[in-house]
Amino acid sequence: MVQAAMFIRFVIDDLDPDSGRRQGLFQAGDALLESGRLSTEDAERLRTLYAWFKANLSVPDRFALSARPHAKAQALSWFRDSATEHIRRMRGYHQLLQAHGVVVAMLRTKRPGYIVYEDEHQVVAYPFADTPC
C-alpha cells in the first residue's frame, strides 16, 4: 500500500491580507528585519537563510484558484515531506524567529487543497475546508 505524502507549512498567528490565512515565515522574517530588533549577527543569519531559499526554491507562478490575471491570491505554499533540506533550513528560520518572540507553528496535512502549482519541493494549494491553515 502506497502511503500518501505529507505536506508541511510553517506559520505565525498574523493573518496575510491576501489569503486571509496565517502568514508564513518569509513574511514574518521580513517584518522582524524591518522592526530593527535584530542584532547584526541575527539579521545576517536571517538574510543568509532567505538567500538560500531564493537560490534553491522556485517562486510559484500562481497563487490563485482561478487562472484569471487579477484573481485573488488565496492559495498557500506547502513543502513536500521529501524536501528534507528545505524543511531543515526552515526549522532554522523558525528557531531564529522564536528566539525573538515570534510564535511559530508547524502544520502537517495529507490534504493541502486544490493544487494550483507544484514542483519538486513544494505545492501551492487553495485549501479545502478541513485543511489546517
Side-chain angles (χ1 to χ4, degrees), residues 8 10 31 40 45 51 55-56 59 71 79 86 103 110 118 123:
I8 298 165
F10 294 85
T40 303
R45 183 171 165 224
N56 294 282
V59 175
F79 288 109
H86 293 76
V103 177
K110 292 181 180 181
E118 62 183 311
V123 300

Side-chain angles (χ1 to χ4, degrees), residues 61-72 116:
D61 58 8
R62 189 165 168 198
F63 281 92
L65 190 56
S66 170
R68 291 187 334 249
H70 300 292
K72 190 169 183 180
V116 298

Side-chain angles (χ1 to χ4, degrees), residues 94-116:
H94 171 169
Q95 291 169 350
L96 184 57
L97 293 175
Q98 283 210 186
H100 291 277
V102 179
V103 177
V104 176
M106 185 173 82
L107 308 177
R108 297 171 193 244
T109 187
K110 292 181 180 181
R111 295 173 29 91
Y114 297 101
I115 295 174
V116 298

Side-chain angles (χ1 to χ4, degrees), residues 49-103:
L49 282 165
Y50 184 71
W52 185 90
F53 281 102
K54 290 283 285 180
N56 294 282
L57 187 65
S58 297
V59 175
D61 58 8
R62 189 165 168 198
F63 281 92
L65 190 56
S66 170
R68 291 187 334 249
H70 300 292
K72 190 169 183 180
Q74 293 182 311
L76 305 172
S77 298
W78 294 82
F79 288 109
R80 295 179 182 277
D81 60 358
S82 59
T84 54
E85 183 62 17
H86 293 76
I87 293 166
R88 184 184 74 76
R89 290 182 186 255
M90 190 55 79
R91 285 191 174 118
Y93 224 92
H94 171 169
Q95 291 169 350
L96 184 57
L97 293 175
Q98 283 210 186
H100 291 277
V102 179
V103 177

